[in-house]
Structure formats: C-alpha cells, structure tokens
Amino acid sequence: MSNNKLAIFLIIASVLFGTLMLTFLKLAQEEVNVYVAGFFRFLFGFLIILPYIFKSKFTVFKTTHHKKHFFRAFLNLPSMLLYFSALVMMPIEKATAISFVVPFLVTILAVLFLGEKIYIYRSFALVLGFIGMLIILRPGIIDISLGVYMALASSFMWSVVIIITKSIAKDDSSITILSYGYTYMTIFSFIIALFHWQTPGLQTLIYLFFGGLFGTLLHLCINHAYKLVDVSVTQPYSFLSLVFASLIGFYIFNETPDLFTWIGASVIFLGVLIISYREMKLEKEIIRKSIDIKN
C-alpha cells in the first residue's frame, strides 16, 4: 500500500475513532463534569500504552523535541476542555460541524510554517467543506450560542496542536508523540480535576474507558498519517466525521439532524470525493512517469 493510500485510510479510521470517543465522553458527562471526564479519558489512554512504555524500557521517551511536546500538551488541555464542554451544550453533529474550521486553519498554518504547497484540487475540496459547514451553522440566520464560541476556540488551539505534531513527527515515532502527550495530559488534567472532583459510577467508568481507548487509537492513526504525507492531503477527509456524528447522534442521543445539516453534509462529501479522485489520479501519474524513466 502506498503512503498516500495508507495515510488516507488512517485519517478516515481516526475520524471514526474520534467520533466514538466523543460519543462515550458525552455519555459520561451525564454524570461527571468535564474536568473529571477529561482526566479519566487520558488516564485510561495512558494505562493502555503503559505496557509498551515498560517494554521499551522507557526508550520511547527519547526525543530532541522536549519543549515542543510540552507546549503541544499545554495547548491540547484547554482545547480538550473547551470542546468537551461544548459537546454538552449542543448536538454532537453540530459540535462536529463547527470543528470543520480545523482543516482550513491547519492548511493555512501548514503553508505558512511548514512550507507545504497547497494545490488547486485540495483548495477546492476545502472550500466546499467550508461552504458545507456554513450551510449547517447558518451564521447570522440562527443564534450563535456560547457552546459555538467554545468549540471555535477549541478548534483554533487544536489546529496549532496539529501543526506542532507534524513538525515533531519528522523525527519522533507515533508512539513517542503519544507517550509524551498522554503523560503530560494525565498530569495536567489531574491537577485541575482535583479542584472539581466527582466520583464516577461503574457505568460511567466504562464509558470513560472506551473514550480513552478510542481516543488513543485516534491519536495513533493521525500521528502516523502525518509522518507519511503533507498535512494538507489529509484534512479534507476530516469532514467525514459529520456523517459518523449524525448517525451516532440519531441512533444514540435521539438527535435528528435538520435538512440543512444533510445539505451541508452532501456538499462536504462532494469535496471529499473530488480530492480522493484527484489524489488517486495523481498517484497513478507519478507511478507511470517512474516506469517511463526506468524504461
């Protein structure tokens, strides 16, 4: 499997895992507050990767990017708390739709700070995704709530986290990035949770465990994808999360997406189809040219 195809598969998988993580955390927050939910989400994630850390004899922490790992976690904490809080205030597909500003911010930041090139097909797919998001949110037509502002602030911080992750991924493995992130985040979130402690029941602990599990799989997938290709290649596929979120919101939370959500989702999905077709065609052209050169 080529790097492009593997990266696309990993991003789509990460989108699914991310939606499942949010689902279980939304369920958990029916009993505990966002600070406790955030702590257990990362504690369980850390416990899941702990056997590997021991197996590696802590060599997994070998890096030359200590400051970047710390700053990445420092930004990730408020991003997580803001988004988890917004999740309680609105339907899951609405919160997901708002997070679609992330691909645009990431693409712009990748061009400015990582020197990546932005091609016309990727740009067109991103524009379609943005239009789809506007159709769903209808700013100026419907009221913008506090939850929307919290989700937007979270999205901006997460965009910066992605850029930092990409810069670290050039030298560090996916598991190294994950180990540092989960170590720092478990410590940071525990300190905050202490001041807002609520003891979760067994069922909520199960929700939080699965939130941690799917969150861990999410980060492993995206960290490895960023090692394989430019960030701008992966971002249009993030819009698929709306499809997953709408289905889960309907079947689990009885949240029925309105007509505008489905229209917006259709526009977004069109963008994903366009970029997928173009990347596959581009890959075939590269392979063909390589064969011609060898001949």
Side-chain angles (χ1 to χ4, degrees):
M1 185 181 291
S2 67
N3 282 355
N4 269 25
K5 287 182 179 178
L6 179 57
I8 289 169
F9 170 79
L10 289 171
I11 287 298
I12 293 175
S14 74
V15 167
L16 176 59
F17 293 141
T19 307
L20 291 171
M21 176 194 73
L22 293 177
T23 300
F24 283 107
L25 290 174
K26 187 176 175 72
L27 289 169
Q29 287 183 88
E30 293 177 359
E31 181 182 0
V32 297
N33 60 50
V34 63
Y35 308 105
V36 173
F39 164 63
F40 277 104
R41 175 258 180 274
F42 279 99
L43 174 64
F44 283 128
F46 179 75
L47 293 176
I48 288 170
I49 64 171
L50 190 59
Y52 184 87
I53 293 175
F54 283 134
K55 184 179 179 181
S56 72
K57 297 180 180 178
F58 298 94
T59 57
V60 71
F61 287 108
K62 186 177 181 181
T63 183
T64 58
H65 299 291
H66 293 285
K67 291 181 180 179
K68 286 185 178 180
H69 283 293
F70 180 86
F71 187 61
R72 178 178 178 272
F74 184 78
L75 273 181
N76 198 7
L77 180 64
S79 174
M80 173 197 72
L81 293 177
L82 284 169
Y83 194 75
F84 289 178
S85 297
L87 198 63
V88 179
M89 300 181 185
M90 65 182 75
I92 190 170
E93 84 275 356
K94 190 75 72 178
T96 300
I98 295 169
S99 70
F100 286 166
V101 298
V102 171
F104 306 98
L105 293 172
V106 166
T107 301
I108 293 168
L109 292 173
V111 172
L112 293 176
F113 296 103
L114 300 180
E116 293 187 1
K117 295 179 179 179
I118 179 67
Y119 299 101
I120 187 168
Y121 280 92
R122 296 177 193 172
S123 300
F124 185 58
L126 287 168
V127 169
L128 282 178
F130 186 70
I131 292 172
M133 182 195 70
L134 291 178
I135 291 173
I136 295 166
L137 294 179
R138 286 161 283 158
I141 300 175
I142 60 175
D143 292 334
I144 304 299
S145 66
L146 175 61
V148 171
Y149 289 116
M150 294 174 75
L152 286 171
S154 170
S155 297
F156 177 76
M157 293 180 191
W158 178 243
S159 301
V160 178
V161 169
I162 289 176
I163 295 301
I164 296 172
T165 302
K166 175 63 178 178
S167 68
I168 296 173
K170 293 184 295 184
D171 303 309
D172 292 353
S173 67
S174 303
I175 191 66
T176 293
I177 297 171
L178 193 69
S179 298
Y180 269 103
Y182 276 29
T183 300
Y184 283 131
M185 289 292 286
T186 301
I187 295 170
F188 294 164
S189 59
F190 175 65
I191 293 172
I192 296 176
L194 276 177
F195 295 95
H196 307 275
W197 189 259
Q198 292 176 327
T199 302
L202 178 60
Q203 186 175 27
T204 299
L205 277 175
I206 292 172
Y207 291 152
L208 291 169
F209 170 78
F210 280 107
L213 173 63
F214 288 120
T216 302
L217 293 173
L218 153 71
H219 283 288
L220 280 173
C221 286
I222 60 174
N223 290 347
H224 191 61
Y226 295 154
K227 289 183 71 69
L228 299 174
V229 295
D230 286 352
V231 172
S232 57
V233 175
T234 65
Q235 291 311 294
Y237 296 93
S238 303
F239 294 120
L240 286 172
S241 59
L242 181 59
V243 178
F244 298 137
S246 296
L247 291 172
I248 288 175
F250 178 75
Y251 286 107
I252 296 181
F253 299 107
N254 295 317
E255 299 169 349
T256 304
D258 57 28
L259 177 62
F260 289 97
T261 298
W262 288 114
I263 294 174
S266 299
V267 174
I268 290 166
F269 192 66
L270 177 61
V272 172
L273 288 178
I274 290 172
I275 190 66
S276 299
Y277 172 77
R278 177 56 185 166
E279 292 297 334
M280 286 188 291
K281 186 176 180 181
L282 183 63
E283 185 180 355
K284 289 180 181 178
E285 290 175 358
I286 293 172
I287 293 173
R288 190 182 304 114
K289 289 179 181 178
S290 177
I291 294 173
D292 291 341
I293 291 172
K294 289 179 180 179
N295 292 337

